[in-house]
């Protein structure tokens, strides 16, 4: 796909996308563009509506964006047009930019159009969306040059599309090795380095909690370490650490799941978000140093699987009593956090995981749960999320919950056994392995990383966290 900027449509013939701010259904003034008029009784720019008029050898697509639409809504509106009006992209396409559009609105529109090309039928014969063809030309109709925000929007969407794919592909395709290979290839393409620990290297490193989870699977665990270093670094260059849960499939282990296992290919959505964020951070060439870890393994069942009541070690040197083998995500994150903090010493650390059903019980499918003892980090993460439509809400990390993870036989236990406050006790467990880091945050995104929407008939990946993490790092 290529872009060009044009100032006039006098010689243009094809499809013209025309965003329209909402007026009033009773307005006497019709919507007008390039000699084409639409009466307000028919269309007046109401959000989530559009109207097609074929005239002057062009298809005019009037797109209602409401009175004061936000980033997420605008992105969804343009994604809907690209998805559900695919045929109109078969011709040349021009996007009209209203005079009062901001760079962020252009970014959202570009990102939405690109996301609209996604098709969940990875194993079906599908025609490629015209927008994705190399020779497709999108003309940006504007008096100003908006190439930079438009291209930024495309880069955001490109990283999110990759994340969609990682989460939606089946677990016999997206194995730990698949994720490590993806990281290597992406690093070569976008400019970050990659180091992979297989079972032997992870054993030598002492990543016992991570290895314990993967013991029941024939798929070799992969401890993925990625490093992005911007050009012209100096002593003032900030350093952020990311950790993402990469359970490529979760049976629950010997505490096998009795419901919901069908969707457990999505249990690596936190890891996928970190992988997508690393692509985007590198693609945007941010000026912040980023070190990211995705511990990737499969929680399966066989004679080698770890047992309830086992006591295992960890990279941080703490012993862990296993109460529930289905509370495995926090085990691999514990080793990921300990390894990251001890060896790379980032100033700010964020982990992201589809960790608990408890967070879904609290927030449903509207936002992710945020845990941190750093008020500045909390505000910045929430503001960053709000600005791109990936919302977070903070829950407490009070020491009153510390007893939930106390063990009589080991330093700590991996599950409280209580039917309440599960997301909080999981966060307290992770906090135990952060070595009292002063700028750590945990994001539990179980309710927002994989779900239902208008763009598919079944649950699918949302890429929640890719843009959020990137925006947060950019705003530091």
């Amino acid at each position: 796909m290529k872009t060009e900027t044009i100032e006039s449509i006098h010689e243009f013939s094809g499809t013209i996308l025309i965003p329209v701010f909402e007026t009033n259904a009773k307005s006497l003034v019709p919507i007008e563009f390039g000699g084409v008029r639409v009466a307000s009784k028919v269309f007046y720019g109401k959000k989530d509506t559009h109207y097609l008029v074929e005239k002057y050898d062009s298809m005019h697509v009037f797109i209602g964006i409401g009175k004061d639409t936000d980033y997420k809504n605008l992105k969804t509106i343009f994604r809907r047009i690209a998805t559900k009006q695919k045929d109109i992209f078969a011709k040349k396409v021009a996007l009209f930019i209203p005079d009062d559009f901001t760079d962020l609105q252009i970014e959202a529109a570009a990102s939405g159009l690109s996301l609209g090309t996604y098709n969940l039928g990875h194993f079906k014969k599908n025609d490629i969306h015209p927008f994705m063809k190399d020779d497709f030309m999108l003309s940006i109709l504007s008096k100003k040059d908006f190439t930079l925000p438009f291209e930024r929007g495309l880069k955001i969407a490109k990283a999110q599309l990759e994340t969609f794919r990682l989460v939606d592909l089946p677990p016999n395709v997206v194995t730990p090795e698949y994720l490590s290979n993806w990281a290597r290839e992406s690093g070569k393409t976008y400019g970050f380095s990659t180091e992979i620990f297989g079972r032997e290297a992870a054993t030598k490193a002492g990543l016992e909690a991570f290895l314990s989870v993967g013991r029941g699977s024939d798929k070799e665990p992969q401890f993925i370490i990625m490093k992005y270093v911007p050009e012209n670094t100096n002593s003032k260059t900030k350093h952020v650490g990311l950790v993402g849960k990469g359970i490529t499939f979760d049976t629950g282990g010997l505490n096998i799941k009795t419901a919901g296992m069908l969707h457990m290919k999505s249990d690596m959505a936190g890891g996928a978000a970190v992988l997508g964020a690393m692509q985007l951070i590198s693609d945007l060439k941010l000026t912040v140093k980023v070190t990211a870890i995705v511990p990737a393994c499969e929680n399966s069942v066989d004679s080698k699987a770890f047992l309830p009541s086992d006591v295992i070690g960890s990279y941080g040197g703490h012993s862990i009593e296993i109460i529930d083998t289905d509370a495995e995500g926090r085990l691999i994150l514990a080793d990921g956090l300990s390894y990251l903090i001890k060896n790379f010493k980032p100033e700010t650390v964020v982990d992201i995981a589809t960790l608990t059903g408890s967070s879904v019980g609290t927030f449903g499918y509207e936002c992710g749960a945020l845990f941190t003892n750093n008020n500045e980090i909390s505000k910045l993460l929430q503001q960053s999320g709000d600005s791109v439509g990936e919302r977070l809400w903070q829950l407490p990390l009070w020491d009153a919950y510390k007893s939930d993870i106390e063990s009589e036989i080991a330093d700590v236990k991996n599950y409280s056994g209580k039917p309440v406050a599960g997301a909080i006790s999981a966060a307290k467990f992770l906090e135990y392995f952060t070595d009292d880091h002063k700028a750590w945050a945990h994001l539990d995104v179980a309710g927002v990383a994989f779900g239902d929407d208008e763009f598919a008939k079944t649950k699918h990946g949302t890429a929640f966290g890719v843009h959020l993490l990137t925006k947060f790092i950019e705003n530091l």
Side-chain angles (χ1 to χ4, degrees), residues 49-181:
T49 65
H50 66 274
Y51 191 74
L52 279 63
V53 180
E54 193 166 8
K55 196 170 184 180
Y56 305 133
D57 295 325
S58 288
M59 177 66 75
H60 296 70
V61 186
F62 293 90
I63 304 169
I65 60 174
K67 291 181 179 179
D68 187 23
T69 189
D70 61 24
Y71 189 99
K72 182 180 181 180
N73 281 328
L74 192 59
K75 192 172 185 176
T76 301
I77 287 166
F78 278 90
R79 183 179 178 184
R80 183 183 301 122
I81 292 294
T83 300
K84 300 186 178 181
Q85 299 293 334
K86 180 179 175 181
D87 292 344
I88 68 175
F89 289 84
K91 304 176 182 179
K92 290 181 65 177
V93 178
L95 171 63
F96 169 67
I97 306 295
D99 290 339
D100 46 1
F101 248 36
T102 65
D103 283 2
L104 276 178
Q105 287 173 315
I106 293 162
E107 176 186 298
S111 188
L113 286 172
S114 186
L115 290 180
T117 66
Y118 184 68
N119 190 323
L120 200 57
H122 293 291
F123 297 92
K124 293 183 177 183
K125 293 181 179 179
N126 293 303
D127 294 331
I128 187 171
H129 195 289
F131 195 78
M132 297 300 287
K133 293 180 179 178
D134 292 337
D135 60 350
F136 181 86
M137 176 63 75
L138 179 70
S139 301
I140 302 172
L141 180 56
S142 173
K143 296 175 183 177
K144 300 178 182 178
D145 185 359
F146 287 113
T147 302
L148 288 178
F150 196 89
E151 288 185 348
R152 178 183 166 91
L154 294 180
K155 289 178 180 180
I156 292 167
K158 192 172 184 180
Q160 291 176 322
L161 286 167
E162 282 293 311
T163 308
F164 286 172
R165 185 172 175 274
L166 288 173
V167 176
D168 290 335
L169 284 171
N172 60 322
V173 173
V174 179
T175 62
E177 185 178 14
Y178 185 99
L179 291 182
S180 65
N181 288 337

Side-chain angles (χ1 to χ4, degrees), residues 459-474:
K459 289 182 181 292
H460 55 281
T462 66
F464 187 101
V466 173
H467 199 181
L468 163 64
L469 292 172
T470 305
K471 194 76 172 179
F472 167 72
I473 290 169
E474 198 170 28

Side-chain angles (χ1 to χ4, degrees), residues 402-416:
K402 207 170 186 179
S403 60
D404 286 354
I405 60 168
E406 289 177 351
S407 167
E408 286 192 307
I409 194 171
D411 292 326
V412 66
K413 63 183 179 183
N414 78 324
Y415 181 61
S416 69

Side-chain angles (χ1 to χ4, degrees), residues 180 184 194-212 220-225 296 315 335 339 343:
S180 65
R184 282 194 189 95
T194 308
E195 185 178 9
I196 312 295
F197 291 171
R199 183 177 282 108
E200 186 178 344
T203 301
K204 187 175 180 180
L207 297 164
E208 189 176 339
F210 165 64
L211 289 167
S212 294
E220 184 171 5
Q222 305 279 281
F223 195 80
I224 305 167
I225 305 168
Y315 183 82
D335 271 3
Y339 192 90
N343 293 284

Side-chain angles (χ1 to χ4, degrees), residues 387-434:
S387 70
V388 298
E390 297 183 6
R391 294 188 293 183
L392 299 168
W393 196 258
Q394 189 171 2
L395 292 176
L397 271 175
W398 301 325
D399 279 344
Y401 295 102
K402 207 170 186 179
S403 60
D404 286 354
I405 60 168
E406 289 177 351
S407 167
E408 286 192 307
I409 194 171
D411 292 326
V412 66
K413 63 183 179 183
N414 78 324
Y415 181 61
S416 69
K418 299 177 182 178
V420 295
I424 298 174
S425 60
K428 290 300 291 183
F429 180 87
L430 294 179
E431 183 186 42
Y432 191 85
F433 292 87
T434 62

